[in-house]
Amino acid sequence: MAERVVTMAIGPLVSMLKDKASSYLLDQYKVMEGMEEQHKILKRKLPAILDVITDVEEQAMAQREGAKAWLQELRTVAYVANEVFDEFKYEALRREAKKNGHYIKLGFDVIKLFPTHNRVAFRYKMGRKLCLILQAVEVLIAEMQVFGFKYQPQPPVSKEWRHTDYVSIDPQEIASRSRHEDKKNIIGILVDEASNADLTVVPVVAMGGLGKTTLAQLIYNDPEIQKHFQLLLWVCVSDTFDVNSLAKSIVEASPNKNVDTDKPPLDRLQKLVSGQRYLLVLDDVWDNKELRKWERLKVCLQHGGMGSAVLTTTRDKRVSEIMGADRAAYNLNALEDHFIKEIIEARAFSSKKEKPIELVEVVDEIVKRCCGSPLAATALGSVLCTKTSVKEWKAVSSGTSVCTDETGILPILKLSYNDLPAHMKQCFAFCAVFPKDYKINVEKLIQLWIANGFILEYKEDSPETSGKHIFDELVSRSFFLDLEESKDYSGYYSSTCKIHDLMHDIAMSVMEKECVVATMEPSEIEWLPDTARHLFLSYEEAERILNDSMQERSPAIQTLLCNSDVFSPLQHLSKYNTLHALKLCLGTESFLLKPKYLHHLRYLDLSESSIKALPEDISILYNLQVLDLSYCNYLDRLPRQMKYMTSLYHLYTHGCRNLKSMPPGLENLTKLQTLTVFVAGVPGPDCADVGELHGLNIGGRLELCQVENVEKAEAEVANLGGQLELQHLNLGDQLELRRVENVKKAEAKVANLGNKKDLRELTLRWTEVGDSKVLDKFEPHGGLQVLKIYKYGGKCMGMLQNMVEIHLSGCERLQVLFSCGTSFTFPKLKVLTLEHLLDFERWWEINEAQEEQIIFPLLEKLFIRHCGKLIALPEAPLLGEPSRGGNRLVCTPFSLLENLFIWYCGKLVPLREAPLVHESCSGGYRLVQSAFPALKVLALEDLGSFQKWDAAVEGEPILFPQLETLSVQKCPKLVDLPEAPKLSVLVIEDGKQEVFHFVDRYLSSLTNLTLRLEHRETTSEAECTSIVPVDSKEKWNQKSPLTVLELECCNSFFGPGALEPWDYFVHLEKLEIGRCDVLVHWPENVFQSLVSLRRLVIRNCENLTGYAQAPLEPLASERSEHLRGLESLCLERCPSLVEMFNVPASLKKMNIHGCIKLESIFGKQQGMADLVQVSSSSEADVPTAVSELPSSPMNHFCPCLEDLDLVLCGSLQAVLHMPLSLKNIWIADCSSIQVLSCQLGGLQKPEATTSRSRSPIMPQPLAAATAPTAREHLLPPHLESLTILNCAGMLGGTLRLPAPLKRLFIMGNSGLTSLECLSGEHPPSLESLWLERCSTLASLPNEPQVYRSLWSLEITGCPAIKKLPRCMQQQLGSIKRKWLDARYEVTEFKPLKPKTWKEIPRLVRERRQACRS
């Protein structure tokens, strides 16, 4: 059976043309005057083409070349014809706007914007275009008859949308069962490598569609993996394995995506993973057959902590062999048939109550064709879901090719695509414009479909409704997956989806060269073909590449989505006149586009741009349907003539914090469905007021800002309440009213805001607190779910009982939450936030009797902050509820509460009482004592009066049966802790020392413990007792699961009378010790027990000196083997510290700050005084060299150390024996350091050299190396970054730069005289060079290689540098960021650009003279 191909559906394109040709606007404004005959002929011939289009498309799918060629020509003609009728429509809209006075408002600009508005000229130009289209159509019809295409009625576009239930099958549940053994095996591999210092790479190999990504997701989300790894990262690689782009994607997938954004991606990646045990999933790698690419990335990834791993999925065995060279690939087998059958049946019968036996019998035959692929089974099941007869099912079975290793499952996916209705094919194929694994915003996708005309308008449904139905249908057929709903930082919800990479391949094969996706700078000259219509660009300086390409070519681009910042204008703007959809993030304050070239634009997304205003002439975009200005932080006004943009459906203005007002005449935008924020400005002719919303049906989420500026608000606000059908003008799902204090005389009417039936969320925002009773009678309808009120000045509010979320902030005069006459129960409330309610003291008015109901039966989150007068939480009486064993007493209003945060409530004394509750159980009743039976997170902060966990029976503590996280900060009267058997995270800040003795009850469950107790000058013996009492030790025979321990003022852990609890903490990975007065010597007994420790922080321990009686230079064989897994060491503000402990070989990062007495780091050195004395000598011949000092046993310590920070260590006179592995050094405020020296111990002692003999610093070979003089400093050979700040007299002489050095920062130094490259070594290629206030520095390297990669340069306050090296001058023009003293700027090298040959001698003379100065 010949394989059927997938083709683009041309029928919808022709139908779109037919609808445009029949538009009433063309006749109403007579834009086709003089062309009536051609217009009639075209309208007659288009249906003739549509009659045979189904037959032609079927022949094209059967690979008939004649039919394919005819379809291709029809597509070309249809595109051109659509563009012509777009011009007709725009001319009609232009004439309509002119009739309504737009030309008068635009004034003289009309001539610039409409140079061809002359009707005679328009008729002549468009008449010629129409004739050409008609000729092309007639040729197509003639060929249609020659080819013998037959009439075949087009299947009607169903308006009865199928109610799909794509939740009935849970792919994750089936995958979890079917891949359980695979998941278990791979997790075992990853966890078992915990002590492996090398990077573990596990490649998973299988053909596409077998579930590699799904398996990786199961592993990634497994609780054991989540707990085992400190950092989890997921990146989809897909088509191109570009090292820098991939490194950037990995960093942006982490919580630190906004850190060091100005640094190169590989450096950011290295810093991100440094010292952390991470799991990186590289999904869908299939273009990494070059070992060097992987090795470049792997070099950075190897800086992670012990046990770090990379899990990669790929279809290509060669890729797995390269990436996992030291480990055999994990081959994923096909899924067992019974799982395949389960998937097919779940999909095929999802909408059917019963499974017909005759159809079930066909399933076994279809299962064999899937060859164990879950994706193939899902696709076939989705196709079968639309079929009802055995004949149709067998046709699907017989028409499906069996999956093979060569074809994979593509034949099945093609069948799934070909089974789609024509209008859905077009919508799905458009998704090829997005990169693989791209998170597609569903709302934006539907808007892009509409903008490109893929969705026809029906009287019954809006285009958005039709688009949503199409999307849901495609989801049910498995074309989209990974549906997610998320909320941004402003509270706006959005839904996203993804496309499986194989489905993406289908879309790309349909669109051929119509969709162009460029996620990195294109290398091919012809990356943008003339056939391109939809572009997606996501790389820096995309506009430059686009401008260069558009200079040579003229594609009819309809969609341009630029996913990176644009800083320079797009050129050749007239070539963009076919654009229907445009997304740009403008990095400039000015608008870089010219609306006169964008007449046909339907979709304009400028979100997160830096523009301050939109030009007035943007109002000529009469076709514009979507305008997204969200998060344009600098935007302060909208065009005054916006009322003429009558096609506008959606206007997004949320996040525009500088927007002062709305333009007048918004009532003319009768199609408007979305307006996210309405800003009421100071009344005037250029400003809209709330009354203009009267004729619009607003809904969704409503946000009104600056309402204090609204005049005559009594009538206007009341009219808002009369709007019933709000879905048709969805003012952005939310509308916020700000400065509501100026909504005059609106007290009786503003409550009607809540009567909008489709309004889901309402925000009211005043700018300052004042007298107001606006909300006294506020009675929202049942559909309003979220209410946010800021700075309301009233003392009480109306009916809020139907809310799902309530947020009250800054309502300083609010006294009671519930006013008289209201019910005290909130049956739907899930989230309640109360902030800065300074007068809030009661939950309801005292004279009201509380109803017999649970007050918050569904409440899940409660946040209370800065409510200074609040004494207690609400209480509820005992209630009888029926249960199987009789009645169950319920006594808590918080039965479902999971998160409770109470901050800065100084009068809150206890948490509410928890009476004993009788709960029926087998054999009788049991006592249950829990006010918060579901609570998981409890945070208390700055509660000055809080002193006990109240209980009904004296001495009985409250039980939190589900509590997992407890944070208690600044509660000075609290002296005990509650019972919580599942507690895993405990944080105590500024707590009483007595609290320490209650911690032992949690040791069996805690994973994170932070104890920062109050500081006491003296510590009693009673306080220096073990955290684990003797009786507990006898009963407890397991190790603590604790992984993070932070201690401050906890002398009990280290005091002389304390029993050692450290043997229990074998899983401890991070330890912080602060303000421990009894810590004098390095606690080696503690170190000996912490076998899993990876990070150690000691700060503010004023008495810590180091070793007491240990020899200064222990033999290597006597070295301590403690903390063998330690990777990060931080010592801060330990003023008595003199010497270090023997740090382990595993250390990768060392930070030492404020240790003013510390004399050495990498071992004590004999002869150091002589060395420092030598360093202070100026010009004498000095035979003493660094390597002549006695060899230290610590020479080869820290072979893995990569980062060294030294700050405020005034007693350090030299940093000797630095490890060769160092890559980053930061030294600040250490003016005593005279020498930096790399490790040389263990090598053959070189001969001494004088300061006049400049021999190579790095040995080549090492055994024959000559030592550097005391005036030359030997830096580690792999050093990439060196920073020296405010070290005035430090490092006299010459600093030689190693080859890998990329970043050099020296500020505030008066010792260095020159910077030089190492002799005989490849010169470094610096990326950043900052020299500031270096008074003695006179000489810089003069090798061109040093400055070729430079992008950041500062040389200021360096008087000894008279002029810049010539090779640096030549690079100044290409350096992006530079700060130079004025005397250097004149030497900037500029290429000679003579206008004539005669000017060359003069320019050469001027250049020579400039170089000499």
Side-chain angles (χ1 to χ4, degrees), residues 533-568:
R533 289 192 167 269
H534 309 287
L535 271 66
F536 183 99
L537 308 178
S538 181
Y539 54 86
E540 293 183 3
E541 298 185 0
E543 66 271 28
R544 175 177 58 82
I545 307 298
L546 193 57
N547 289 338
D548 292 344
S549 300
M550 293 297 283
Q551 184 175 1
E552 304 294 332
R553 301 182 174 278
S554 301
I557 302 175
Q558 288 182 212
T559 306
L560 174 57
L561 307 176
C562 194
N563 215 34
S564 55
D565 290 347
V566 174
F567 293 95
S568 56

Side-chain angles (χ1 to χ4, degrees), residues 123-369:
R123 185 162 58 244
Y124 174 76
K125 179 185 74 169
M126 299 305 294
R128 292 182 60 190
K129 290 184 178 182
L130 189 61
C131 286
L132 291 174
I133 291 171
L134 196 56
Q135 292 173 14
V137 170
E138 288 174 343
V139 170
L140 285 168
I141 289 179
E143 292 178 347
M144 183 177 77
Q145 296 168 351
V146 171
F147 284 126
F149 298 143
K150 299 177 181 179
Y151 167 74
Q152 190 170 334
Q154 281 188 292
V157 177
S158 174
K159 301 187 181 80
E160 294 296 326
W161 298 100
R162 185 161 62 97
H163 291 287
T164 57
D165 182 14
Y166 41 81
V167 184
S168 60
I169 173 177
D170 184 1
Q172 289 295 101
E173 191 273 333
I174 295 179
S176 181
R177 287 188 284 111
S178 60
R179 296 297 187 191
H180 177 72
E181 285 301 318
D182 295 308
K183 184 182 86 166
K184 180 180 177 182
N185 293 339
I186 295 177
I187 289 178
I189 295 172
L190 297 174
V191 173
D192 289 346
E193 298 292 334
S195 59
N196 188 356
D198 297 326
L199 181 67
T200 300
V201 181
V202 181
V204 178
V205 185
M207 77 172 190
L210 272 191
K212 301 182 297 295
T213 299
T214 302
L215 174 60
Q217 288 173 339
L218 291 170
I219 295 168
Y220 187 87
N221 294 318
D222 187 84
E224 185 177 359
I225 291 294
Q226 295 277 333
K227 181 179 178 181
H228 180 73
F229 291 98
Q230 294 174 307
L231 178 66
L232 289 103
L233 303 163
W234 181 293
V235 174
C236 180
V237 182
S238 292
D239 296 355
T240 307
F241 195 98
D242 177 72
V243 177
N244 284 310
S245 298
L246 185 53
K248 182 180 178 183
S249 298
I250 296 172
V251 174
E252 291 178 348
S254 74
N256 298 331
K257 61 182 179 181
N258 296 321
V259 177
D260 296 329
T261 53
D262 57 339
K263 292 185 178 180
L266 288 172
D267 292 346
R268 296 177 65 196
L269 174 59
Q270 179 176 316
K271 182 177 180 181
L272 171 69
V273 302
S274 181
Q276 296 203 72
R277 181 160 66 202
Y278 67 86
L279 173 63
L280 169 63
V281 177
L282 295 178
D283 186 34
D284 194 26
V285 183
W286 56 295
D287 183 31
N288 183 25
K289 302 179 184 67
E290 296 183 40
L291 179 61
R292 60 180 182 84
K293 287 185 177 181
W294 168 239
E295 289 298 333
R296 280 187 65 199
L297 186 68
K298 189 176 180 181
V299 165
C300 294
L301 296 175
Q302 286 175 328
H303 288 79
M306 294 179 64
S308 294
V310 175
L311 177 64
T312 178
T313 68
T314 180
R315 307 177 212 170
D316 195 328
K317 291 184 179 180
R318 291 172 296 174
V319 171
S320 68
E321 290 169 358
I322 290 174
M323 299 185 69
D326 57 344
R327 180 184 300 276
Y330 190 93
N331 292 293
L332 191 63
N333 297 321
L335 218 57
E336 297 175 17
D337 283 352
H338 67 94
F339 287 118
I340 297 295
K341 183 176 181 179
E342 184 179 349
I343 294 172
I344 293 176
E345 289 185 350
R347 282 288 180 182
F349 300 116
S350 63
S351 59
K352 302 176 180 65
K353 294 182 179 179
E354 297 180 357
K355 300 179 183 179
I357 298 176
E358 62 274 14
L359 296 182
V360 173
E361 292 175 352
V362 184
V363 173
D364 290 331
E365 182 181 342
I366 297 175
V367 167
K368 298 175 183 177
R369 297 186 174 275

Side-chain angles (χ1 to χ4, degrees), residues 1049-1078:
C1049 301
C1050 294
N1051 292 337
S1052 302
F1053 275 89
F1054 304 98
L1059 299 174
E1060 299 299 339
W1062 298 102
D1063 290 340
Y1064 291 99
F1065 302 136
V1066 294
H1067 299 296
L1068 196 65
E1069 297 180 0
K1070 178 183 177 182
L1071 173 62
E1072 289 192 15
I1073 304 172
R1075 301 188 71 180
C1076 184
D1077 297 336
V1078 298

